[in-house]
């Protein structure tokens, strides 16, 4: 009997939690969430940032030596 009461309490306490976490999404919010969570897009953005920083670094080194190779 004690186990039945504990199971009933557990079911009442935790049975309704997932229902409260759901929400209705619009198409725009789904797209924004997909773009935010897309790993490939974040990797390509990082690669672009690295390339831009390498170009800046190359230009800085070039002006300090006063001999540019390009």
């Amino acid at each position: 009997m004690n186990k039945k009461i504990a199971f009933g309490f557990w079911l009442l306490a935790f049975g309704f939690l997932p229902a409260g976490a759901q929400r209705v999404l619009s198409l725009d919010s789904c797209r924004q969430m997909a773009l935010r969570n897309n790993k490939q897009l974040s990797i390509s953005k990082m690669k672009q940032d690295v390339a831009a920083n390498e170009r800046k670094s190359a230009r800085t080194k070039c002006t300090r030596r006063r001999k540019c190779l390009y």
Side-chain angles (χ1 to χ4, degrees):
M1 184 71 173
N2 205 8
K3 289 183 181 181
K4 288 182 181 179
I5 293 173
F7 179 73
F9 177 73
W10 182 84
L11 189 61
L12 285 174
F14 297 107
F16 296 111
L17 288 178
Q22 295 176 356
R23 60 184 172 141
V24 177
L25 298 175
S26 67
L27 182 59
D28 290 331
S29 63
C30 287
R31 285 181 180 163
Q32 289 174 352
M33 190 184 324
L35 291 174
R36 188 171 54 243
N37 293 328
N38 193 337
K39 299 297 181 188
Q40 289 297 97
L41 286 177
S42 63
I43 289 171
S44 63
K45 175 68 175 151
M46 284 290 213
K47 286 182 179 180
Q48 286 178 345
D49 292 342
V50 167
N53 288 332
E54 286 177 351
R55 280 194 303 274
K56 287 179 185 179
S57 174
R59 289 183 181 151
T60 302
K61 290 177 185 176
C62 179
T63 58
R64 287 183 183 165
R65 288 188 288 162
R66 304 226 188 247
K67 293 182 182 179
C68 295
L69 299 176
Y70 57 91

